[in-house]
Amino acid sequence: MKTRLIIAASVVVLAPAQAMAAPPTLQDSIGGPEWVTLSGSSRLRYEALEGQPRAVLNATDEQLAIRTIITAQADLQGIKVNAELHDSRAWLTKPGGVVSANEVNTFELVQANIAGDVSLGGGAKLSLQLGRMTLGLGSRRLVAADDYRNATNGYTGLRSDLRTKNGLAATMIYVLPHIRLPDDLPSIKAQQPQWDRESFDLQLWGGLVSHTGLVRQLTLEVGYFGVLERDWPGRVTRQRDLDSFSARLIRDPRPGKVDFELEGIYQSGTVRASGSTSAAILPVRAWFMHADAGYSFSGPAKVRLSLEYDRASGDEPGGKFGRFDTLFGMRGADLAQSGIYNAIGRANISAVGVRLEKGLANRWEGYLTYKPMWLASRTDSFSTTGVRDLTGSAGNFAGHQVEMQLRYWLVPKFLRGQLSAVNLSKGRFLRTAPNVVTGADTRYVATTISVHF
């Protein structure tokens, strides 16, 4: 595994970095007509992990994954027809390793929709989109298309966006989230194509309202999303019937200025206590909060330094379900990337963080973070590791996480290399809880080459 990692890393380091013109694009190859646009990308990533932090899985793991996306759009006099084909595949996973429909989803038409705008007068505009689509709404903590994960989230339904001249904006959705198929291990390993499932057994609705340009360049956003999930033949679910209410206050980063973000989400409803059909249906009382404050330094490097805090409730004894559900949200911007690491998510966690990030300048961008992490509830499983101590005697300190990511355009707008790494120095809980795989510290490295055409 280490030999393969060195080879994969050398691809990023030794690839030609000299300035050169990007080759012709997919759009150039078709030569018109002007009302049709075509683009694509392909991403090859090798991941290696030692000191598995998650329960049940192998102590070491590796994966080679590739994702190819072809996007097409036809502009028919104001009505746009969009299509996007995703092909996600993975190899090298051994029995007991990580491979699922999160990594493998072949020949899937993730987007196939029509969209258009309607002028409402007074500078207001209404945009409508109908069909299969990807979504990234608000902070993307509840509804998103995860870009780091090899297979993304798709949705089928209706989206509407209202924009006004005075800074008021609203987005509303009613969609059926896609259930990626196939989801049985033999079919996944065989990379078999199968149309993702969409049905009224899994529904998502709601929206966001925001106002930009309040006092001192503040943006206020409030939102609501509802989820209804039911069993269907061959699949037992958690029978989620959840209501999530959010509020967010933002001041965007600007050179030489202090910025911040505050978001709180309260969740209520009902959920099945486990994946068993005989499990009780419990009332839900859960919550999440994120806070960060940062400063962007003046200058061409676009450097920002920030302090962060995230807390997501965990389950406690007492007949109510208290574990926060991030629905279809992404995790990378706040906590850690997914991939075969996928250990730190928005559930039963309390984490303080320091982040140093560099925006895109001189073809470089990236970030470095440090986070000590605790369990919000000692008796619930820590975050998304599945590691749990029902007695609470293993304590509540999970460990120290250091994460780094660097991206560099080897050929601008065409070829980009990326290096991602995580070191998790395990605390008492992740070393002594009853179902830990290994007490060794976790080391995760991923090297990526992306081609855009």
Side-chain angles (χ1 to χ4, degrees), residues 112-236:
N113 61 70
I114 58 173
D117 299 333
V118 179
S119 177
L120 301 179
K125 182 176 72 173
L126 177 66
S127 301
L128 298 173
Q129 190 173 22
L130 177 65
R132 283 192 153 207
M133 66 189 76
T134 57
L135 294 171
L137 303 182
S139 66
R140 302 190 299 137
R141 295 185 177 107
L142 291 177
V143 182
D146 194 325
D147 184 61
Y148 191 85
R149 195 177 64 207
N150 206 44
T152 194
N153 293 335
Y155 311 82
T156 297
L158 175 66
R159 170 179 178 165
S160 63
D161 292 274
L162 176 66
R163 299 289 182 269
T164 66
K165 194 173 182 179
N166 64 0
L168 183 66
T171 298
M172 302 296 291
I173 61 167
Y174 176 80
V175 295
L176 309 177
H178 298 173
I179 298 161
R180 290 180 293 278
L181 296 175
D183 57 0
D184 64 287
L185 193 56
S187 299
I188 289 171
K189 288 184 174 180
Q191 319 269 6
Q192 291 184 1
Q194 184 176 342
W195 189 259
D196 288 352
R197 187 180 194 272
E198 54 217 319
S199 82
F200 292 101
D201 294 320
L202 180 59
Q203 305 173 45
L204 170 68
W205 64 91
L208 301 166
V209 178
S210 65
H211 196 289
T212 303
L214 296 173
V215 180
R216 297 184 181 274
Q217 294 81 45
L218 298 181
T219 298
L220 175 64
E221 176 187 272
V222 294
Y224 163 79
F225 291 102
V227 167
L228 179 62
E229 179 182 56
R230 297 179 294 218
D231 296 344
W232 63 84
R235 181 186 286 258
V236 178

Side-chain angles (χ1 to χ4, degrees), residues 5 8 12 45-48 148 418-422 444-448:
L5 179 57
V12 175
R45 181 169 66 210
Y46 175 74
E47 304 174 71
Y148 191 85
Q418 178 174 309
L419 176 64
S420 304
V422 177
Y444 166 81
V445 178
T447 59
T448 306

Side-chain angles (χ1 to χ4, degrees), residues 210-284:
S210 65
H211 196 289
T212 303
L214 296 173
V215 180
R216 297 184 181 274
Q217 294 81 45
L218 298 181
T219 298
L220 175 64
E221 176 187 272
V222 294
Y224 163 79
F225 291 102
V227 167
L228 179 62
E229 179 182 56
R230 297 179 294 218
D231 296 344
W232 63 84
R235 181 186 286 258
V236 178
T237 72
R238 295 296 299 275
Q239 293 280 73
R240 292 179 297 172
D241 186 357
L242 299 177
D243 299 299
S244 300
F245 304 88
S246 65
R248 187 162 69 121
L249 187 64
I250 318 153
R251 179 184 291 167
D252 290 330
R254 291 187 300 159
K257 301 293 183 180
V258 174
D259 60 84
F260 66 86
E261 179 187 11
L262 299 171
E263 181 167 33
I265 306 174
Y266 176 75
Q267 209 162 65
S268 62
T270 59
V271 69
R272 185 178 271 159
S274 71
S276 169
T277 55
S278 61
I281 300 294
L282 300 177
V284 173

Side-chain angles (χ1 to χ4, degrees), residues 375-419:
L375 288 75
S377 168
R378 290 178 178 235
T379 56
D380 193 10
S381 58
F382 170 62
S383 199
T384 50
T385 64
V387 177
R388 186 173 190 177
D389 178 14
L390 288 171
T391 68
S393 59
N396 70 341
F397 184 62
H400 302 271
Q401 176 183 271
V402 177
E403 182 189 9
M404 177 271 291
Q405 185 178 105
L406 294 175
R407 296 195 292 184
Y408 180 67
W409 281 103
L410 301 164
V411 180
K413 298 182 180 180
F414 173 68
L415 183 65
R416 185 169 67 180
Q418 178 174 309
L419 176 64

